[in-house]
Amino acid sequence: TLAEARARGGAVLESPEYLDLSIVEAGLLCAKGNMAQGLDRLSALATQARAAHGPQSIQLERLYDWIGSCLSEAGDATAHAWVYDAYDIAAARERPPSTHLMASAMNAFDRALGARDFDAAERYYQLAVANAQAIPEQSIRDRRTQGLRNGRVVQLMQRGEAAAAVEAAQPMLQYYNEVYAKHGRLTPAQGSIWIATADALRQLGRYDEAIQVADTFGERCRELKRIAPGAECEPRALAMRALVELDAGRMEAAQDTMRTLRERYPDSGRAGRDGRDGRLREANVRLLIASGGAAEAAEAVELMREAYGMWLSVQPDSVYAAESLYWFGRAYQAAGDRRGDWMVKQAREQLAKS
């Protein structure tokens, strides 16, 4: 253990193995919620790794990845930049194509997606695809890049390329349907592609197809929950279905869907940085605004005040902040407050530039 290694002292404390274990220990502090302590320890280890192993060492690369993860947990808007730097360290050391560079680029791609950094996401997607050529067997390469191809669908949807997103999703959804037919249950890491596909279909106005995709995911989530009670992905599917119904002008259906969600998952949150609870919050706010009641409008204002305040604190210039400002303004308009007019106008201008 690390405690035993510290007790032994001497050369043990200068070994790469001891540094590797110390990195994991510090990273786990962040995972347990001790952000400040974890970041302080990781920063100190980064200084140590750079001095002992150089600026292109794998230890420094791992530390940058851990710092990015820790900052992300803390809601820091700079988290993705550390993961980008980790890729640069690997690229300075490795000769492409390599599976290590592929994995590092995929990690940076995921972070770029979360930050809606579209240019960086495209760069790291292309780098991951290029480095995946280090795997000669197509079947193995496809298996190792499933997450990347799922993320591509999310990326295209986020950029507003809905038709391309739906096209990119088809082979992946077919594969997941085959996996479901074989195993009879939802397998990990599928949520993003089902929700992104439904969202892309919603953007295209293909509402019935969007509902079908959301419902398929929701049904499989419900079946999975019977096997693994801690698995709760159905709220994402129900929230997406409600948004589709709202876009389609099916107000009563959307109200029924949200009622079902609250009955099955009464503890489902209304706020979140990762966009999952954000869809639930948007559906709630849109229903409250559409109801036309003063009390409902006031509730919508408070929901969006919390959401917009959170985004201002972590990513004030992001698309997420602009979207929150838009619905904040719409809520104010519903409450009869003229401040909503300039908020909606400003949000539309910001979104038009994104």
Side-chain angles (χ1 to χ4, degrees):
T1 65
L2 281 171
E4 292 171 341
R6 290 180 184 123
R8 290 171 62 187
V12 172
L13 302 183
E14 299 176 4
S15 68
E17 293 79 8
Y18 178 78
L19 178 57
D20 287 343
L21 289 173
S22 297
I23 292 170
V24 174
E25 180 188 47
L28 289 176
L29 287 172
C30 293
K32 293 176 180 178
N34 300 323
M35 304 298 179
Q37 186 180 357
L39 282 169
D40 284 347
R41 183 67 179 138
L42 288 167
S43 296
L45 288 170
T47 301
Q48 178 185 336
R50 183 181 290 274
H53 303 286
Q56 298 174 9
S57 68
I58 193 167
Q59 288 86 358
L60 188 62
E61 177 193 343
R62 288 171 179 164
L63 277 158
Y64 276 37
D65 273 332
W66 274 107
I67 291 172
S69 295
C70 193
L71 289 171
S72 180
E73 287 293 325
D76 192 300
T78 66
H80 57 284
W82 287 86
V83 180
Y84 298 171
D85 288 345
Y87 176 85
D88 290 341
I89 292 171
R93 186 186 66 248
E94 301 259 344
R95 180 178 179 179
S98 82
T99 54
H100 184 84
L101 283 175
M102 177 192 76
S104 184
M106 287 172 63
N107 188 27
F109 172 71
D110 288 340
R111 293 292 181 183
L113 280 185
R116 290 203 179 185
D117 186 347
F118 297 143
D119 291 341
E122 182 63 25
R123 173 177 179 251
Y124 289 115
Y125 173 79
Q126 297 297 340
L127 286 167
V129 169
N131 280 285
Q133 300 307 307
I135 305 173
E137 297 84 357
Q138 182 71 46
S139 60
I140 298 175
R141 186 162 64 244
D142 287 348
R143 189 161 60 249
R144 291 281 301 275
T145 58
Q146 278 181 28
L148 179 68
R149 288 179 289 148
N150 286 353
R152 182 64 164 177
V153 177
V154 176
Q155 178 195 24
L156 292 169
M157 182 274 295
Q158 285 184 348
R159 292 196 318 211
E161 299 176 37
V166 172
E167 182 179 356
Q170 295 314 303
M172 297 303 298
L173 294 184
Q174 181 180 346
Y175 169 75
Y176 288 130
N177 285 332
E178 292 170 357
V179 170
Y180 180 78
K182 181 178 180 180
H183 298 288
R185 62 178 177 82
L186 192 69
T187 53
Q190 292 189 31
S192 62
I193 190 170
W194 289 98
I195 296 300
T197 303
D199 218 345
L201 289 165
R202 175 172 74 115
Q203 292 176 21
L204 293 169
R206 292 160 60 177
Y207 301 125
D208 291 337
E209 293 174 75
I211 288 173
Q212 183 179 10
V213 170
D215 282 353
T216 298
F217 178 54
E219 289 164 7
R220 294 178 185 179
C221 287
R222 200 156 57 248
E223 292 169 0
L224 180 63
K225 186 173 173 61
R226 287 196 288 268
I227 303 170
E232 289 193 357
C233 52
E234 190 185 12
R236 298 176 66 189
L238 289 169
M240 176 51 67
R241 179 186 175 112
L243 287 176
V244 175
E245 290 165 337
L246 283 167
D247 281 5
R250 305 170 190 173
M251 183 63 61
E252 291 184 3
Q255 291 172 333
D256 288 343
T257 298
M258 292 301 291
R259 192 176 302 114
T260 297
L261 192 159
R262 285 189 285 267
E263 288 172 354
R264 291 180 184 171
Y265 303 93
D267 297 328
S268 288
R270 292 185 176 184
R273 284 192 304 272
D274 63 359
R276 296 180 183 182
D277 291 335
R279 289 191 176 90
L280 173 55
R281 181 179 56 242
E282 181 185 338
N284 270 314
V285 167
R286 289 177 63 178
L287 284 169
L288 289 167
I289 292 171
S291 71
E296 288 80 2
E299 183 180 352
V301 167
E302 291 310 310
L303 282 173
M304 293 314 305
R305 188 191 310 280
E306 178 185 358
Y308 184 54
M310 183 274 292
W311 283 114
L312 281 183
S313 70
V314 295
Q315 291 187 15
D317 299 322
S318 68
V319 176
Y320 297 118
E323 289 174 343
S324 291
L325 178 62
Y326 175 80
W327 288 110
F328 194 10
R330 288 288 304 274
Y332 262 131
Q333 288 175 329
D337 191 319
R338 295 297 298 273
R339 284 179 291 180
D341 296 343
W342 69 260
M343 293 167 75
V344 169
K345 181 176 182 293
Q346 180 178 322
R348 282 176 170 160
E349 291 172 353
Q350 292 173 355
L351 289 168
K353 297 175 184 176
S354 65

